mmCIF file of all heavy atoms in Angstrom:
data_model
loop_
_atom_site.group_PDB
_atom_site.id
_atom_site.type_symbol
_atom_site.label_atom_id
_atom_site.label_comp_id
_atom_site.label_asym_id
_atom_site.label_seq_id
_atom_site.Cartn_x
_atom_site.Cartn_y
_atom_site.Cartn_z
ATOM 1 N N TYR U 1 0.812 -1.217 0.000
ATOM 2 C CA TYR U 1 0.000 0.000 0.000
ATOM 3 C C TYR U 1 0.849 1.272 0.000
ATOM 4 O O TYR U 1 0.348 2.350 -0.301
ATOM 5 C CB TYR U 1 -0.944 0.003 1.197
ATOM 6 C CG TYR U 1 -0.280 -0.023 2.544
ATOM 7 C CD1 TYR U 1 0.069 1.154 3.207
ATOM 8 C CD2 TYR U 1 0.020 -1.238 3.164
ATOM 9 C CE1 TYR U 1 0.684 1.130 4.445
ATOM 10 C CE2 TYR U 1 0.645 -1.263 4.407
ATOM 11 C CZ TYR U 1 0.964 -0.086 5.048
ATOM 12 O OH TYR U 1 1.582 -0.118 6.267
ATOM 13 N N HIS U 2 2.124 1.160 0.351
ATOM 14 C CA HIS U 2 2.993 2.345 0.351
ATOM 15 C C HIS U 2 3.141 2.922 -1.055
ATOM 16 O O HIS U 2 3.119 4.143 -1.232
ATOM 17 C CB HIS U 2 4.362 1.987 0.918
ATOM 18 C CG HIS U 2 4.322 1.518 2.341
ATOM 19 N ND1 HIS U 2 4.094 2.374 3.393
ATOM 20 C CD2 HIS U 2 4.465 0.273 2.887
ATOM 21 C CE1 HIS U 2 4.107 1.694 4.529
ATOM 22 N NE2 HIS U 2 4.331 0.408 4.248
ATOM 23 N N HIS U 3 3.266 2.052 -2.057
ATOM 24 C CA HIS U 3 3.377 2.534 -3.434
ATOM 25 C C HIS U 3 2.070 3.195 -3.874
ATOM 26 O O HIS U 3 2.080 4.219 -4.576
ATOM 27 C CB HIS U 3 3.723 1.363 -4.365
ATOM 28 C CG HIS U 3 4.995 0.658 -4.003
ATOM 29 N ND1 HIS U 3 6.236 1.229 -4.162
ATOM 30 C CD2 HIS U 3 5.208 -0.574 -3.469
ATOM 31 C CE1 HIS U 3 7.174 0.381 -3.757
ATOM 32 N NE2 HIS U 3 6.582 -0.734 -3.326
ATOM 33 N N MET U 4 0.943 2.620 -3.477
ATOM 34 C CA MET U 4 -0.346 3.201 -3.830
ATOM 35 C C MET U 4 -0.523 4.566 -3.170
ATOM 36 O O MET U 4 -1.049 5.502 -3.781
ATOM 37 C CB MET U 4 -1.473 2.258 -3.413
ATOM 38 C CG MET U 4 -1.444 0.907 -4.111
ATOM 39 S SD MET U 4 -2.696 -0.231 -3.462
ATOM 40 C CE MET U 4 -4.171 0.688 -3.781
ATOM 41 N N THR U 5 -0.056 4.683 -1.913
ATOM 42 C CA THR U 5 -0.175 5.957 -1.197
ATOM 43 C C THR U 5 0.573 7.063 -1.917
ATOM 44 O O THR U 5 0.068 8.185 -2.070
ATOM 45 C CB THR U 5 0.349 5.806 0.237
ATOM 46 O OG1 THR U 5 -0.410 4.797 0.908
ATOM 47 C CG2 THR U 5 0.238 7.111 0.994
ATOM 48 N N ASP U 6 1.778 6.757 -2.383
ATOM 49 C CA ASP U 6 2.593 7.760 -3.096
ATOM 50 C C ASP U 6 1.902 8.223 -4.374
ATOM 51 O O ASP U 6 1.933 9.410 -4.714
ATOM 52 C CB ASP U 6 3.969 7.186 -3.417
ATOM 53 C CG ASP U 6 4.789 6.895 -2.163
ATOM 54 O OD1 ASP U 6 4.500 7.519 -1.119
ATOM 55 O OD2 ASP U 6 5.680 6.024 -2.217
ATOM 56 N N ARG U 7 1.265 7.304 -5.063
ATOM 57 C CA ARG U 7 0.605 7.664 -6.312
ATOM 58 C C ARG U 7 -0.676 8.463 -6.062
ATOM 59 O O ARG U 7 -0.994 9.399 -6.803
ATOM 60 C CB ARG U 7 0.288 6.396 -7.119
ATOM 61 C CG ARG U 7 1.518 5.576 -7.467
ATOM 62 C CD ARG U 7 1.204 4.343 -8.272
ATOM 63 N NE ARG U 7 0.727 4.674 -9.603
ATOM 64 C CZ ARG U 7 0.502 3.772 -10.565
ATOM 65 N NH1 ARG U 7 0.732 2.489 -10.323
ATOM 66 N NH2 ARG U 7 0.071 4.145 -11.744
ATOM 67 N N ILE U 8 -1.407 8.099 -5.011
ATOM 68 C CA ILE U 8 -2.657 8.802 -4.712
ATOM 69 C C ILE U 8 -2.384 10.225 -4.258
ATOM 70 O O ILE U 8 -3.125 11.162 -4.605
ATOM 71 C CB ILE U 8 -3.442 8.027 -3.640
ATOM 72 C CG1 ILE U 8 -3.914 6.678 -4.191
ATOM 73 C CG2 ILE U 8 -4.642 8.835 -3.152
ATOM 74 C CD1 ILE U 8 -4.544 5.771 -3.154
ATOM 75 N N GLU U 9 -1.340 10.435 -3.475
ATOM 76 C CA GLU U 9 -1.025 11.772 -2.959
ATOM 77 C C GLU U 9 -0.711 12.765 -4.066
ATOM 78 O O GLU U 9 -0.822 13.975 -3.862
ATOM 79 C CB GLU U 9 0.138 11.685 -1.981
ATOM 80 C CG GLU U 9 -0.227 11.046 -0.639
ATOM 81 C CD GLU U 9 0.975 10.916 0.276
ATOM 82 O OE1 GLU U 9 2.118 10.970 -0.246
ATOM 83 O OE2 GLU U 9 0.775 10.772 1.503
ATOM 84 N N LYS U 10 -0.310 12.281 -5.244
ATOM 85 C CA LYS U 10 0.031 13.170 -6.359
ATOM 86 C C LYS U 10 -1.199 13.634 -7.137
ATOM 87 O O LYS U 10 -1.096 14.520 -7.987
ATOM 88 C CB LYS U 10 0.997 12.454 -7.306
ATOM 89 C CG LYS U 10 2.341 12.115 -6.666
ATOM 90 C CD LYS U 10 3.232 11.361 -7.635
ATOM 91 C CE LYS U 10 4.570 10.972 -6.985
ATOM 92 N NZ LYS U 10 5.427 10.197 -7.914
ATOM 93 N N ILE U 11 -2.362 13.053 -6.856
ATOM 94 C CA ILE U 11 -3.586 13.431 -7.582
ATOM 95 C C ILE U 11 -4.068 14.799 -7.094
ATOM 96 O O ILE U 11 -4.194 15.020 -5.881
ATOM 97 C CB ILE U 11 -4.684 12.366 -7.367
ATOM 98 C CG1 ILE U 11 -4.231 11.023 -7.954
ATOM 99 C CG2 ILE U 11 -5.995 12.807 -8.006
ATOM 100 C CD1 ILE U 11 -5.221 9.900 -7.718
ATOM 101 N N PRO U 12 -4.360 15.742 -7.982
ATOM 102 C CA PRO U 12 -4.850 17.060 -7.558
ATOM 103 C C PRO U 12 -6.190 16.936 -6.834
ATOM 104 O O PRO U 12 -7.079 16.208 -7.269
ATOM 105 C CB PRO U 12 -5.009 17.820 -8.887
ATOM 106 C CG PRO U 12 -4.139 17.097 -9.854
ATOM 107 C CD PRO U 12 -4.146 15.667 -9.443
ATOM 108 N N GLY U 13 -6.310 17.648 -5.728
ATOM 109 C CA GLY U 13 -7.536 17.593 -4.949
ATOM 110 C C GLY U 13 -7.463 16.679 -3.750
ATOM 111 O O GLY U 13 -8.338 16.733 -2.877
ATOM 112 N N VAL U 14 -6.435 15.831 -3.668
ATOM 113 C CA VAL U 14 -6.243 14.929 -2.530
ATOM 114 C C VAL U 14 -5.390 15.640 -1.485
ATOM 115 O O VAL U 14 -4.293 16.113 -1.778
ATOM 116 C CB VAL U 14 -5.574 13.610 -2.962
ATOM 117 C CG1 VAL U 14 -5.253 12.750 -1.743
ATOM 118 C CG2 VAL U 14 -6.476 12.850 -3.926
ATOM 119 N N THR U 15 -5.893 15.736 -0.269
ATOM 120 C CA THR U 15 -5.172 16.439 0.806
ATOM 121 C C THR U 15 -4.546 15.502 1.830
ATOM 122 O O THR U 15 -3.721 15.944 2.619
ATOM 123 C CB THR U 15 -6.118 17.409 1.535
ATOM 124 O OG1 THR U 15 -7.208 16.671 2.104
ATOM 125 C CG2 THR U 15 -6.670 18.456 0.573
ATOM 126 N N GLY U 16 -4.943 14.243 1.835
ATOM 127 C CA GLY U 16 -4.380 13.318 2.814
ATOM 128 C C GLY U 16 -4.733 11.879 2.514
ATOM 129 O O GLY U 16 -5.812 11.590 1.987
ATOM 130 N N VAL U 17 -3.807 10.962 2.830
ATOM 131 C CA VAL U 17 -4.017 9.524 2.647
ATOM 132 C C VAL U 17 -3.468 8.820 3.871
ATOM 133 O O VAL U 17 -2.359 9.136 4.332
ATOM 134 C CB VAL U 17 -3.327 8.985 1.369
ATOM 135 C CG1 VAL U 17 -3.655 7.501 1.177
ATOM 136 C CG2 VAL U 17 -3.723 9.786 0.148
ATOM 137 N N THR U 18 -4.219 7.871 4.408
ATOM 138 C CA THR U 18 -3.747 7.120 5.567
ATOM 139 C C THR U 18 -4.230 5.681 5.473
ATOM 140 O O THR U 18 -5.363 5.425 5.055
ATOM 141 C CB THR U 18 -4.246 7.756 6.885
ATOM 142 O OG1 THR U 18 -3.669 7.055 7.993
ATOM 143 C CG2 THR U 18 -5.735 7.708 6.996
ATOM 144 N N PRO U 19 -3.377 4.697 5.839
ATOM 145 C CA PRO U 19 -3.816 3.301 5.858
ATOM 146 C C PRO U 19 -4.620 3.006 7.115
ATOM 147 O O PRO U 19 -4.426 3.640 8.150
ATOM 148 C CB PRO U 19 -2.498 2.524 5.839
ATOM 149 C CG PRO U 19 -1.520 3.436 6.488
ATOM 150 C CD PRO U 19 -1.937 4.840 6.131
ATOM 151 N N PHE U 20 -5.522 2.030 7.026
ATOM 152 C CA PHE U 20 -6.328 1.663 8.190
ATOM 153 C C PHE U 20 -6.561 0.160 8.210
ATOM 154 O O PHE U 20 -6.462 -0.525 7.174
ATOM 155 C CB PHE U 20 -7.670 2.401 8.183
ATOM 156 C CG PHE U 20 -8.653 1.871 7.167
ATOM 157 C CD1 PHE U 20 -9.622 0.950 7.533
ATOM 158 C CD2 PHE U 20 -8.611 2.300 5.848
ATOM 159 C CE1 PHE U 20 -10.529 0.457 6.611
ATOM 160 C CE2 PHE U 20 -9.513 1.816 4.917
ATOM 161 C CZ PHE U 20 -10.476 0.890 5.294
ATOM 162 N N ILE U 21 -6.862 -0.336 9.392
ATOM 163 C CA ILE U 21 -7.248 -1.734 9.591
ATOM 164 C C ILE U 21 -8.597 -1.749 10.294
ATOM 165 O O ILE U 21 -8.803 -1.020 11.264
ATOM 166 C CB ILE U 21 -6.198 -2.494 10.419
ATOM 167 C CG1 ILE U 21 -4.870 -2.554 9.653
ATOM 168 C CG2 ILE U 21 -6.672 -3.899 10.760
ATOM 169 C CD1 ILE U 21 -3.738 -3.184 10.435
ATOM 170 N N TYR U 22 -9.492 -2.572 9.803
ATOM 171 C CA TYR U 22 -10.850 -2.639 10.353
ATOM 172 C C TYR U 22 -11.117 -4.044 10.860
ATOM 173 O O TYR U 22 -10.814 -5.038 10.184
ATOM 174 C CB TYR U 22 -11.869 -2.271 9.275
ATOM 175 C CG TYR U 22 -13.311 -2.358 9.713
ATOM 176 C CD1 TYR U 22 -13.969 -1.247 10.228
ATOM 177 C CD2 TYR U 22 -14.016 -3.558 9.609
ATOM 178 C CE1 TYR U 22 -15.288 -1.324 10.627
ATOM 179 C CE2 TYR U 22 -15.344 -3.643 10.009
ATOM 180 C CZ TYR U 22 -15.968 -2.524 10.515
ATOM 181 O OH TYR U 22 -17.276 -2.604 10.917
ATOM 182 N N SER U 23 -11.666 -4.130 12.067
ATOM 183 C CA SER U 23 -12.029 -5.428 12.626
ATOM 184 C C SER U 23 -13.043 -5.228 13.747
ATOM 185 O O SER U 23 -13.226 -4.105 14.238
ATOM 186 C CB SER U 23 -10.792 -6.166 13.154
ATOM 187 O OG SER U 23 -11.148 -7.441 13.659
ATOM 188 N N GLU U 24 -13.690 -6.293 14.132
ATOM 189 C CA GLU U 24 -14.615 -6.279 15.262
ATOM 190 C C GLU U 24 -14.074 -7.211 16.345
ATOM 191 O O GLU U 24 -13.769 -8.378 16.068
ATOM 192 C CB GLU U 24 -16.017 -6.720 14.831
ATOM 193 C CG GLU U 24 -16.661 -5.768 13.837
ATOM 194 C CD GLU U 24 -18.044 -6.211 13.423
ATOM 195 O OE1 GLU U 24 -18.522 -7.224 13.977
ATOM 196 O OE2 GLU U 24 -18.640 -5.552 12.555
ATOM 197 N N VAL U 25 -13.938 -6.689 17.551
ATOM 198 C CA VAL U 25 -13.337 -7.442 18.646
ATOM 199 C C VAL U 25 -14.197 -7.280 19.899
ATOM 200 O O VAL U 25 -15.163 -6.510 19.919
ATOM 201 C CB VAL U 25 -11.895 -6.965 18.926
ATOM 202 C CG1 VAL U 25 -11.018 -7.158 17.712
ATOM 203 C CG2 VAL U 25 -11.886 -5.505 19.371
ATOM 204 N N MET U 26 -13.814 -8.001 20.942
ATOM 205 C CA MET U 26 -14.447 -7.869 22.247
ATOM 206 C C MET U 26 -13.502 -7.126 23.178
ATOM 207 O O MET U 26 -12.311 -7.447 23.250
ATOM 208 C CB MET U 26 -14.777 -9.245 22.826
ATOM 209 C CG MET U 26 -15.807 -10.032 22.044
ATOM 210 S SD MET U 26 -17.439 -9.272 22.086
ATOM 211 C CE MET U 26 -17.842 -9.468 23.824
ATOM 212 N N LEU U 27 -14.035 -6.120 23.867
ATOM 213 C CA LEU U 27 -13.251 -5.357 24.830
ATOM 214 C C LEU U 27 -13.784 -5.671 26.226
ATOM 215 O O LEU U 27 -14.988 -5.547 26.474
ATOM 216 C CB LEU U 27 -13.343 -3.868 24.526
ATOM 217 C CG LEU U 27 -12.448 -2.921 25.328
ATOM 218 C CD1 LEU U 27 -12.080 -1.702 24.484
ATOM 219 C CD2 LEU U 27 -13.150 -2.435 26.598
ATOM 220 N N SER U 28 -12.892 -6.084 27.115
ATOM 221 C CA SER U 28 -13.314 -6.443 28.469
ATOM 222 C C SER U 28 -12.474 -5.692 29.494
ATOM 223 O O SER U 28 -11.297 -5.391 29.258
ATOM 224 C CB SER U 28 -13.179 -7.948 28.692
ATOM 225 O OG SER U 28 -11.829 -8.357 28.644
ATOM 226 N N SER U 29 -13.112 -5.368 30.593
ATOM 227 C CA SER U 29 -12.435 -4.719 31.716
ATOM 228 C C SER U 29 -13.167 -5.114 32.986
ATOM 229 O O SER U 29 -14.097 -5.935 32.966
ATOM 230 C CB SER U 29 -12.443 -3.196 31.534
ATOM 231 O OG SER U 29 -13.763 -2.699 31.653
ATOM 232 N N GLY U 30 -12.769 -4.512 34.096
ATOM 233 C CA GLY U 30 -13.453 -4.792 35.349
ATOM 234 C C GLY U 30 -14.893 -4.336 35.350
ATOM 235 O O GLY U 30 -15.710 -4.801 36.154
ATOM 236 N N GLY U 31 -15.262 -3.415 34.397
ATOM 237 C CA GLY U 31 -16.619 -2.903 34.337
ATOM 238 C C GLY U 31 -17.540 -3.685 33.439
ATOM 239 O O GLY U 31 -18.732 -3.369 33.361
ATOM 240 N N GLY U 32 -17.030 -4.694 32.729
ATOM 241 C CA GLY U 32 -17.881 -5.507 31.863
ATOM 242 C C GLY U 32 -17.211 -5.816 30.538
ATOM 243 O O GLY U 32 -16.004 -5.600 30.349
ATOM 244 N N VAL U 33 -18.030 -6.332 29.618
ATOM 245 C CA VAL U 33 -17.558 -6.741 28.295
ATOM 246 C C VAL U 33 -18.419 -6.057 27.243
ATOM 247 O O VAL U 33 -19.639 -5.939 27.404
ATOM 248 C CB VAL U 33 -17.618 -8.270 28.124
ATOM 249 C CG1 VAL U 33 -17.122 -8.671 26.737
ATOM 250 C CG2 VAL U 33 -16.816 -8.964 29.204
ATOM 251 N N LYS U 34 -17.789 -5.607 26.156
ATOM 252 C CA LYS U 34 -18.520 -4.890 25.101
ATOM 253 C C LYS U 34 -17.882 -5.194 23.759
ATOM 254 O O LYS U 34 -16.658 -5.179 23.617
ATOM 255 C CB LYS U 34 -18.479 -3.376 25.361
ATOM 256 C CG LYS U 34 -19.162 -2.533 24.305
ATOM 257 C CD LYS U 34 -20.659 -2.620 24.396
ATOM 258 C CE LYS U 34 -21.347 -1.539 23.551
ATOM 259 N NZ LYS U 34 -21.048 -1.633 22.120
ATOM 260 N N GLY U 35 -18.708 -5.528 22.779
ATOM 261 C CA GLY U 35 -18.213 -5.669 21.424
ATOM 262 C C GLY U 35 -17.970 -4.302 20.801
ATOM 263 O O GLY U 35 -18.828 -3.418 20.892
ATOM 264 N N VAL U 36 -16.817 -4.111 20.180
ATOM 265 C CA VAL U 36 -16.462 -2.811 19.625
ATOM 266 C C VAL U 36 -15.935 -2.975 18.201
ATOM 267 O O VAL U 36 -15.483 -4.059 17.802
ATOM 268 C CB VAL U 36 -15.392 -2.088 20.486
ATOM 269 C CG1 VAL U 36 -15.907 -1.823 21.874
ATOM 270 C CG2 VAL U 36 -14.094 -2.890 20.540
ATOM 271 N N VAL U 37 -16.033 -1.895 17.462
ATOM 272 C CA VAL U 37 -15.413 -1.807 16.144
ATOM 273 C C VAL U 37 -14.005 -1.273 16.342
ATOM 274 O O VAL U 37 -13.824 -0.169 16.870
ATOM 275 C CB VAL U 37 -16.215 -0.884 15.215
ATOM 276 C CG1 VAL U 37 -15.475 -0.696 13.897
ATOM 277 C CG2 VAL U 37 -17.601 -1.448 14.974
ATOM 278 N N LEU U 38 -13.017 -2.044 15.944
ATOM 279 C CA LEU U 38 -11.618 -1.669 16.154
ATOM 280 C C LEU U 38 -11.049 -1.093 14.869
ATOM 281 O O LEU U 38 -11.167 -1.702 13.799
ATOM 282 C CB LEU U 38 -10.809 -2.894 16.593
ATOM 283 C CG LEU U 38 -9.356 -2.628 16.991
ATOM 284 C CD1 LEU U 38 -9.299 -1.798 18.266
ATOM 285 C CD2 LEU U 38 -8.604 -3.942 17.178
ATOM 286 N N ARG U 39 -10.466 0.087 14.994
ATOM 287 C CA ARG U 39 -9.845 0.747 13.844
ATOM 288 C C ARG U 39 -8.357 0.904 14.112
ATOM 289 O O ARG U 39 -7.962 1.566 15.074
ATOM 290 C CB ARG U 39 -10.470 2.128 13.613
ATOM 291 C CG ARG U 39 -11.930 2.102 13.230
ATOM 292 C CD ARG U 39 -12.118 1.873 11.749
ATOM 293 N NE ARG U 39 -11.524 2.937 10.957
ATOM 294 C CZ ARG U 39 -12.160 4.068 10.631
ATOM 295 N NH1 ARG U 39 -13.399 4.267 11.044
ATOM 296 N NH2 ARG U 39 -11.570 4.983 9.909
ATOM 297 N N GLY U 40 -7.547 0.265 13.282
ATOM 298 C CA GLY U 40 -6.115 0.504 13.333
ATOM 299 C C GLY U 40 -5.773 1.689 12.461
ATOM 300 O O GLY U 40 -6.228 1.782 11.308
ATOM 301 N N VAL U 41 -4.985 2.646 12.977
ATOM 302 C CA VAL U 41 -4.648 3.859 12.236
ATOM 303 C C VAL U 41 -3.166 4.156 12.363
ATOM 304 O O VAL U 41 -2.487 3.650 13.264
ATOM 305 C CB VAL U 41 -5.460 5.080 12.736
ATOM 306 C CG1 VAL U 41 -6.945 4.877 12.502
ATOM 307 C CG2 VAL U 41 -5.192 5.332 14.211
ATOM 308 N N ASP U 42 -2.689 4.958 11.451
ATOM 309 C CA ASP U 42 -1.327 5.490 11.519
ATOM 310 C C ASP U 42 -1.431 6.872 12.153
ATOM 311 O O ASP U 42 -2.010 7.790 11.570
ATOM 312 C CB ASP U 42 -0.732 5.571 10.114
ATOM 313 C CG ASP U 42 0.721 6.032 10.112
ATOM 314 O OD1 ASP U 42 1.173 6.600 11.127
ATOM 315 O OD2 ASP U 42 1.398 5.830 9.086
ATOM 316 N N SER U 43 -0.892 7.025 13.352
ATOM 317 C CA SER U 43 -1.072 8.273 14.100
ATOM 318 C C SER U 43 -0.463 9.477 13.385
ATOM 319 O O SER U 43 -0.891 10.618 13.613
ATOM 320 C CB SER U 43 -0.455 8.141 15.499
ATOM 321 O OG SER U 43 0.934 7.855 15.402
ATOM 322 N N ASN U 44 0.510 9.261 12.523
ATOM 323 C CA ASN U 44 1.159 10.386 11.821
ATOM 324 C C ASN U 44 0.310 10.905 10.668
ATOM 325 O O ASN U 44 0.117 12.113 10.518
ATOM 326 C CB ASN U 44 2.536 9.951 11.314
ATOM 327 C CG ASN U 44 3.489 9.631 12.443
ATOM 328 O OD1 ASN U 44 3.498 10.302 13.475
ATOM 329 N ND2 ASN U 44 4.294 8.585 12.269
ATOM 330 N N THR U 45 -0.214 9.997 9.841
ATOM 331 C CA THR U 45 -0.963 10.421 8.660
ATOM 332 C C THR U 45 -2.463 10.558 8.928
ATOM 333 O O THR U 45 -3.166 11.230 8.172
ATOM 334 C CB THR U 45 -0.756 9.414 7.510
ATOM 335 O OG1 THR U 45 -1.152 8.104 7.952
ATOM 336 C CG2 THR U 45 0.705 9.375 7.095
ATOM 337 N N ALA U 46 -2.968 9.942 9.993
ATOM 338 C CA ALA U 46 -4.408 10.012 10.284
ATOM 339 C C ALA U 46 -4.846 11.422 10.648
ATOM 340 O O ALA U 46 -6.019 11.783 10.481
ATOM 341 C CB ALA U 46 -4.756 9.048 11.412
ATOM 342 N N LYS U 47 -3.932 12.246 11.153
ATOM 343 C CA LYS U 47 -4.290 13.611 11.545
ATOM 344 C C LYS U 47 -4.781 14.442 10.364
ATOM 345 O O LYS U 47 -5.592 15.352 10.531
ATOM 346 C CB LYS U 47 -3.086 14.299 12.185
ATOM 347 C CG LYS U 47 -2.613 13.645 13.480
ATOM 348 C CD LYS U 47 -1.379 14.341 14.021
ATOM 349 C CE LYS U 47 -0.878 13.674 15.289
ATOM 350 N NZ LYS U 47 0.340 14.319 15.823
ATOM 351 N N GLY U 48 -4.282 14.135 9.173
ATOM 352 C CA GLY U 48 -4.689 14.894 8.002
ATOM 353 C C GLY U 48 -5.913 14.339 7.311
ATOM 354 O O GLY U 48 -6.366 14.901 6.308
#
């Protein structure tokens, strides 16, 4: 995806590109259990 990112960023009108990971997981703590949508992000490029 790094090569695709470089090519997409050169397109006029594009202001930002960031890779992501999508999954559904279970989150548990002392307060209970909850199904959540988990998003993996790149903290550097996600800001844009």
Side-chain angles (χ1 to χ4, degrees):
Y1 61 90
H2 298 287
H3 302 290
M4 298 174 59
T5 301
D6 295 337
R7 301 181 68 173
I8 293 173
E9 288 177 341
K10 296 178 182 178
I11 297 177
V14 174
T15 60
V17 184
T18 185
F20 74 96
I21 296 175
Y22 178 92
S23 182
E24 296 180 4
V25 299
M26 295 294 293
L27 187 149
S28 65
S29 68
V33 180
K34 178 74 167 61
V36 298
V37 174
L38 186 67
R39 295 276 298 273
V41 297
D42 184 342
S43 60
N44 295 322
T45 57
K47 297 177 182 179

